[in-house]
Amino acid sequence: GDSWGIFTFLCAALCNLPALPALNCSEELGAGQSIQQTYDLTRYLEHQLRTLAGTYLNYLGPPFNEPDFNPPRLARAERVPSATVDLDLWRGLTDNARLAANYRAYSRLLCYLRVLDGQVGTAELRHRLAHFCASLQGLVLSIGGVMSSLGYPLPAGPAGPPAGPPGAPPAPNDFLKKMDDFWLLKELQTWLWRSAKDFNRLKKKVPPAVVTLRLEARGF
C-alpha cells in the first residue's frame, strides 16, 4: 500500500546519504541539578544530625540530654549564627540573599564544629563529628556551586578553622561550655530544617537539567 511505499522510499533515501550526521547526546548539568543535589544533601544532614545530637547530648549528660530541657538563650550563644528569623521576613528575601546567608552560616558553624571535634573525650564521638564535619563541608561547597550556577557571587567566609569559636572567649565554667555546645546543635537543626525548605522551593523555580541533542552535519 501507500504506507509501505513511503516507508521503503525513506529507507532508501537514508541508505544513500553521502554521510550520516553524527548525533551527540550530552546532558547539561545546570542549576536545576545542582539545587536538587544540595537539597538531597541537606536532608541527609538533617538525618545525620538527629543521631549525632542524641549521642552528643548523652555525652554532655543531664540536664542537656533531658527531653524537656529548654533553657533561655544566653548572651554567649548569640555568637552562633541564629536561624530564628521571622519566616515571613526570611521568605521576603531574594534567592541570592538567602543563599548567601546559608553559605555564611554553615561556613561559620563548621568552624565551631571542628573545634568541638578536637575537644570530645571519646574516639567514637570524634569519629561521628569528623564525618558530620566532612558532610557539612560538602554542603558549603554545594551551596557555593548553586550560587555560581545562578550567577551569584560567593560571600566572604572564614579563611579556615580558628583556634577557638570565632570571636568567643573560653567558657568560664564547664556548664556554660556545655550550654555553648547545646545551642550549637540546636541552631544547626533549625538551619538544616529551614535550608531544606529553601532548596525545595528553589528547585521548583529552576527547571531541571536539559538533555540536548546536537547534530554535527559533516558532509551533509
Side-chain angles (χ1 to χ4, degrees):
D2 292 341
S3 298
W4 179 254
I6 293 172
F7 176 75
T8 304
F9 171 78
L10 289 174
C11 288
L14 288 172
C15 290
N16 287 297
L17 285 175
L20 282 175
L23 192 62
N24 291 339
C25 177
S26 63
E27 186 179 2
E28 295 182 352
L29 305 181
Q33 183 169 352
S34 182
I35 292 167
Q36 179 66 54
Q37 290 175 346
T38 307
Y39 169 76
D40 292 340
L41 180 54
T42 306
R43 296 306 304 271
Y44 169 71
L45 278 162
E46 276 191 288
H47 171 75
Q48 196 177 353
L49 183 60
R50 279 193 290 271
T51 303
L52 174 63
T55 303
Y56 196 85
L57 292 178
N58 284 333
Y59 168 76
L60 295 181
F64 300 97
N65 60 345
E66 296 172 359
D68 56 349
F69 182 61
N70 188 26
R73 186 171 175 130
L74 302 178
R76 287 181 51 81
E78 295 299 330
R79 297 182 178 91
V80 176
S82 177
T84 53
V85 178
D86 179 77
L87 281 179
D88 290 333
L89 178 62
W90 179 258
R91 290 172 183 170
L93 298 175
T94 64
D95 293 334
N96 186 11
R98 280 194 301 272
L99 286 167
N102 276 282
Y103 185 89
R104 284 192 298 266
Y106 288 121
S107 297
R108 195 170 174 205
L109 288 165
L110 180 60
C111 291
Y112 280 91
L113 278 171
R114 282 173 171 159
V115 172
L116 220 63
D117 185 24
Q119 294 175 345
V120 295
T122 69
E124 180 187 357
L125 192 49
R126 283 198 302 272
H127 175 75
R128 290 192 179 192
L129 278 166
H131 180 65
F132 186 84
C133 284
S135 299
L136 193 62
Q137 177 67 57
L139 180 60
V140 173
L141 295 174
S142 191
I143 293 172
V146 170
M147 296 187 72
S148 297
S149 67
L150 292 174
Y152 300 144
L154 292 182
N173 58 58
D174 187 58
F175 181 83
L176 289 180
K177 169 65 177 67
K178 291 180 178 180
M179 187 71 80
D180 289 345
D181 298 349
F182 174 86
W183 275 106
L184 173 60
L185 296 174
K186 193 174 181 68
E187 286 296 347
L188 257 172
Q189 287 175 325
T190 308
W191 271 105
L192 289 169
W193 171 81
R194 192 173 64 187
S195 295
K197 291 186 176 296
D198 287 346
F199 287 108
N200 189 43
R201 284 192 296 269
L202 190 58
K203 71 178 183 175
K204 294 175 182 177
K205 295 170 63 175
V206 179
V210 178
V211 175
T212 304
L213 299 180
R214 285 198 289 268
L215 208 59
E216 296 178 2
R218 295 194 291 267
F220 178 64

